[in-house]
């Protein structure tokens, strides 16, 4: 980084609060009391992020008389659900290309289910008055290197051949007419398959909605241990126990109470910045009148969007894996990554030089080797789990809640018959192999970005094995 660029990036961060912009909100609700003593219910949901809250909501919609309890180790939405970029995608497979590579025979079904899922989220936002700045504004994948144009065209042609409609290839002038950056060479526009929203407000709205439906929520209540009982399961907590006929685990990156599931995910720390609100003149210099979400097409990619109060959220690029897969609060902030992100921001939007960042934060993503969620049961079908969303959980967790409830009911449905649901990704190896393999993959991805997208022998081998590493 040139010294002048370093100074510009550093100056822009001088006032940034080390806190998720989304969580820094006067409407943030207080924590509900912890569980003390014993509770009994039909369904216990563990985890107060999107996965758990959607599962609890769907459970009450399916059967209003069902007794549902939800426990959360901290406060609802304090982890990934309150720290993400607020992209709510229809895709259940981490994008069309990943789905085509892994489940070509059922991709049409997966795309249809994903579209229905996003429609259902939009309907729930309206039905329960979830004030979360929901905007069905779409997304543009942009090319910033010539080779990425060919990749976007290949994706476009494959999607159209598979029956996708509404997608549009944009040339340089067309994409810059939407959002103006000198780095943009073209783009692939999906106008309907992604919504923008305020992720923490979605959590808080779901928390209010499920409480109104009769779900009993206990915060600052970790699930410590699962045990079988004569009629179901018992979960020990710090100050009590919950006895339930069935249990749904929505703990995602946190260590699963079903220990055999743990090798399937690793934590990847991702980071983001938000600017101060843009002035009218700054907004005009960028365009962005249609408020789409954007992401570039590099392996080490950036995602960026406009908030309701006209800030730009800019995140991604670095994906930090801690040795041993440990979750460490110290990794929630990484100044060297913030500096890198700020320098990349001004390269993308030089017309905004002088703007400052208001917030800088990070958090862990539950990453699995196939980039999309996996599912299963334990204890003879009394416990269900879903995990491994790899950064696309804002939308896909609702689908995961549907799957867990189907599995707990012992139902054969379109969802449970999917190969995606019936199979698992390959687990990550133990240390030090995981550290070495992930490190080599990250180095190889950076090298591919610097050499026209050319994938080396290691990446080609990982492709053949269906393995990957992504945030």
């Amino acid at each position: 980084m040139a010294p002048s660029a370093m100074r510009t990036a550093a100056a822009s961060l001088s006032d940034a609060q080390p806190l998720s912009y989304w969580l820094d909100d006067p409407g943030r609700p207080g924590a509900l009391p912890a569980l003390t003593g014993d509770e009994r219910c039909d369904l216990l949901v563990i985890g107060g992020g999107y996965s758990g809250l959607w599962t609890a909501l769907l459970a009450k919609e399916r059967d209003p008389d069902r007794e549902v309890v939800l426990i959360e180790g901290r406060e609802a939405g304090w982890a990934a659900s309150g720290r993400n970029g607020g992209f709510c995608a229809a895709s259940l497979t981490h994008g069309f290309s990943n789905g085509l590579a892994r489940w070509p025979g059922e991709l049409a079904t997966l795309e249809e289910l994903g579209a229905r899922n996003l429609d259902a989220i939009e309907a729930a936002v309206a039905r329960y008055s979830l004030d979360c700045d929901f905007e069905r504004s779409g997304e543009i994948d942009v090319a910033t290197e010539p080779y990425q144009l060919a990749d976007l065209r290949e994706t476009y042609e494959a999607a159209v051949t598979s029956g996708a409609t509404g997608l549009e290839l944009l040339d340089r002038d067309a994409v810059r007419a939407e959002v103006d950056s000198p780095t943009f060479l073209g783009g692939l526009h999906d106008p309907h398959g992604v919504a923008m929203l305020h992720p923490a407000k979605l959590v808080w709205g779901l928390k209010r909605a499920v409480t109104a439906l009769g779900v009993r929520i206990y915060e600052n209540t970790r699930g410590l241990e699962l045990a079988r009982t004569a009629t179901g399961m018992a979960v020990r907590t710090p100050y009590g126990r919950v006895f339930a006929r069935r249990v749904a685990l929505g703990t995602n990156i946190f260590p699963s109470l079903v220990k055999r599931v743990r090798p399937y995910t690793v934590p990847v720390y991702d980071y983001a910045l938000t600017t101060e609100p843009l002035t009218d003149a700054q907004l005009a210099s960028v365009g962005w009148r249609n408020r789409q979400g954007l992401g570039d097409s590099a392996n080490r990619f950036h995602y960026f969007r406009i908030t309701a109060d006209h800030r730009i959220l800019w995140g991604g690029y670095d994906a930090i894996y801690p040795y041993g897969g440990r979750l460490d609060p110290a990794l929630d902030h990484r100044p060297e990554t913030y500096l890198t992100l700020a320098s990349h921001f001004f390269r993308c939007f030089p017309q905004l030089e002088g703007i400052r960042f208001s917030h800088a934060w990070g958090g862990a993503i539950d990453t699995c080797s196939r980039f999309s969620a996996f599912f299963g049961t334990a204890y003879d079908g009394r416990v269900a789990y879903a995990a491994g969303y790899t950064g696309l959980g804002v939308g896909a967790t609702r689908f995961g809640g549907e799957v867990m409830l189907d599995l707990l009911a012992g139902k054969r449905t379109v969802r449970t018959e999917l190969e995606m649901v019936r199979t698992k990704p390959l687990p990550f190896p133990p240390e030090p192999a995981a550290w070495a393999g992930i490190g080599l993959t990250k180095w190889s991805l950076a090298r591919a970005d610097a050499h026209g997208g050319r994938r080396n022998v290691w990446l080609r081998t990982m492709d053949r094995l269906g393995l990957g590493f992504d945030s």
Side-chain angles (χ1 to χ4, degrees), residues 22-46:
W22 308 116
L23 295 175
D24 186 20
D25 190 289
R28 182 175 182 175
L32 295 172
L35 173 67
T36 57
D38 291 348
E39 257 280 21
R40 285 171 170 78
C41 58
D42 299 316
L43 173 68
L44 171 63
V45 179
I46 302 181

Side-chain angles (χ1 to χ4, degrees), residues 169-211:
L169 272 177
L170 306 178
D171 63 17
R172 177 182 178 276
D173 291 342
V175 73
R176 291 190 63 176
E178 294 290 336
V179 183
D180 191 15
S181 167
T183 66
F184 294 173
L185 305 178
L188 178 57
H189 184 205
D190 176 0
H192 304 297
V194 181
M196 299 292 106
L197 52 76
H198 186 305
K201 285 184 177 180
L202 176 61
V203 172
W204 302 332
L206 287 170
K207 178 180 171 180
R208 286 190 292 269
V210 300
T211 301

Side-chain angles (χ1 to χ4, degrees), residues 45-59:
V45 179
I46 302 181
Y50 297 136
S51 188
L53 288 165
W54 279 121
T55 302
L57 183 73
L58 292 164

Side-chain angles (χ1 to χ4, degrees), residues 33 156 223 230 276 466:
Y156 169 78
E276 61 192 0

